[in-house]
């Protein structure tokens, strides 16, 4: 992404993964071209919204009839940085940490989980799909040996911020937080707080839209 793209709005950034998901699916099913109108229908956006979004990144000019699906997909993949490989660690190897490690889909997109860390001696020493669970006390040593780009936080809420601070101190620049608090970090650290229950609450709200 060029410097000027750093000013791309949060809303556009949030839509980019969705474009990629749709385009990847279309590419896999052999669709060669798509107009912004067709894409808008599929994605539930307006065609002008799609053109505006793409203009933020230089436009991906439509030649003749619509976009070349493969080219557009590859361009968006690059914008998302998915043409690179990333080393990840997971802090907290309980239900959620182990579920992340058990999912092979992340490494297919270049996100490689190198280790999980836990305080529970009964978990330390075992492996999930060949990925070791290490003692959290060894985190600093591990980070000094292995370049880690992203840390997933799957610990209880009360230790999450403390773990984040410790990781940042060791140079980790991206936090994928699943603990049910919004963790704080300096501006040069990327933080995504993932709260599945928020989406469940949204479902509940929609089911109760008369606001009784
Ligand atoms: P869990 O209790 O199965 O696992 C937590 C693990 O963290 C345990 O193995 C524990 O030993 C370990 N741990 C505790 N303190 C630690 C520390 N300082 N360093 C390293 N490891 C430590 O819990 P579960 O179900 O896996 O949930 C993990 C977290 O994810 C919780 O905060 C939970 O609320 C949250 N969660 C969030 C969801 C979301 O949508 N974001 C969905 C499900 C869970």
């Amino acid at each position: 992404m060029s410097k000027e793209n750093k000013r791309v709005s949060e809303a556009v950034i949030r839509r980019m993964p969705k474009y990629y998901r749709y385009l990847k699916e279309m590419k896999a099913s052999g669709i060669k071209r798509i107009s912004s109108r067709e894409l808008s229908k599929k994605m539930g956006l307006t065609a002008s919204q799609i053109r505006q979004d793409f203009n933020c990144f230089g436009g991906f000019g439509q030649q003749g009839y619509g976009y070349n699906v493969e080219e557009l997909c590859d361009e968006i993949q690059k914008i998302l940085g998915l043409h690179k490989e990333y080393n990840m660690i997971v802090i907290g190897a309980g239900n959620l940490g182990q579920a992340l490690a058990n999912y092979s889909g992340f490494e297919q997109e270049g996100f490689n989980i190198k280790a999980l860390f836990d305080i529970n001696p009964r978990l330390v020493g075992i492996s999930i799909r060949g990925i070791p669970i290490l003692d959290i006390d060894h985190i600093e040593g591990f980070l000094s040996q292995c370049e880690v780009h992203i840390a997933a936080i799957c610990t209880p809420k009360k230790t999450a911020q403390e773990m984040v601070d410790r990781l940042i101190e060791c140079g980790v620049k991206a936090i994928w937080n699943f603990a049910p608090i919004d963790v704080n970090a300096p501006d040069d650290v990327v933080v995504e707080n993932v709260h599945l229950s928020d989406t469940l609450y949204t479902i509940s709200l929609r089911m109760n839209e008369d606001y009784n």
Side-chain angles (χ1 to χ4, degrees):
M1 203 190 283
S2 72
K3 285 235 165 66
E4 61 202 69
N5 287 337
K6 290 209 166 126
R7 287 194 296 271
V8 169
S9 77
E10 184 66 19
V12 177
I13 289 172
R14 295 273 160 210
R15 281 194 287 274
M16 294 314 281
K18 184 168 173 179
Y19 287 124
Y20 179 62
R21 192 157 46 79
Y22 273 75
L23 287 159
K24 203 169 81 159
E25 198 62 40
M26 285 184 252
K27 183 176 157 181
S29 56
I31 298 173
K32 301 282 179 223
R33 300 197 82 82
I34 188 149
S35 68
S36 47
R37 197 159 156 269
E38 284 169 314
L39 189 58
S40 71
K41 265 201 218 145
K42 271 186 194 284
M43 292 187 59
L45 298 166
T46 67
S48 106
Q49 177 79 82
I50 289 178
R51 284 193 296 270
Q52 274 177 40
D53 285 355
F54 291 175
N55 278 340
C56 298
F57 301 95
F60 320 126
Q62 300 191 55
Q63 302 115 359
Y65 168 71
Y67 298 102
N68 177 315
V69 169
E70 186 171 352
E71 279 174 23
L72 185 57
C73 186
D74 293 351
E75 282 295 325
I76 293 179
Q77 185 190 41
K78 268 193 216 137
I79 288 166
L80 290 169
L82 296 177
H83 58 308
K84 299 184 192 165
E85 297 272 320
Y86 300 94
N87 289 340
M88 282 178 55
I89 54 172
V90 175
I91 311 297
N95 294 308
L96 186 59
Q98 292 194 25
L100 293 182
N102 263 316
Y103 179 56
S104 61
F106 298 132
E107 67 216 24
Q108 284 160 22
E109 292 287 4
F111 298 96
N112 303 307
I113 300 178
K114 294 294 180 187
L116 299 99
F117 290 85
D118 208 286
I119 45 166
N120 183 343
R122 277 182 295 177
L123 291 172
V124 171
I126 64 169
S127 301
I128 310 294
R129 266 189 340 114
I131 307 168
I133 302 179
L134 306 177
D135 189 325
I136 191 65
D137 285 346
H138 297 160
I139 187 78
E140 280 82 7
F142 184 91
L143 291 172
S144 70
Q145 298 293 314
C146 174
E147 187 181 13
V148 169
H149 304 99
I150 306 167
I153 306 294
C154 300
T155 63
K157 178 166 81 170
K158 64 179 189 305
T159 49
Q161 184 64 56
E162 176 200 324
M163 288 314 306
V164 167
D165 295 343
R166 202 164 151 189
L167 293 161
I168 292 172
E169 186 72 24
C170 295
V172 174
K173 292 287 184 203
I175 302 289
W176 194 24
N177 172 47
F178 289 86
I181 57 160
D182 291 336
V183 293
N184 298 312
D187 286 348
D188 65 336
V189 175
V190 178
V191 177
E192 272 294 312
N193 293 295
V194 182
H195 302 309
L196 292 184
S197 41
D198 285 6
T199 57
L200 202 50
Y201 301 157
T202 308
I203 290 177
S204 173
L205 185 147
R206 294 232 166 98
M207 290 167 69
N208 291 278
E209 257 178 335
D210 51 357
Y211 304 114
N212 280 330

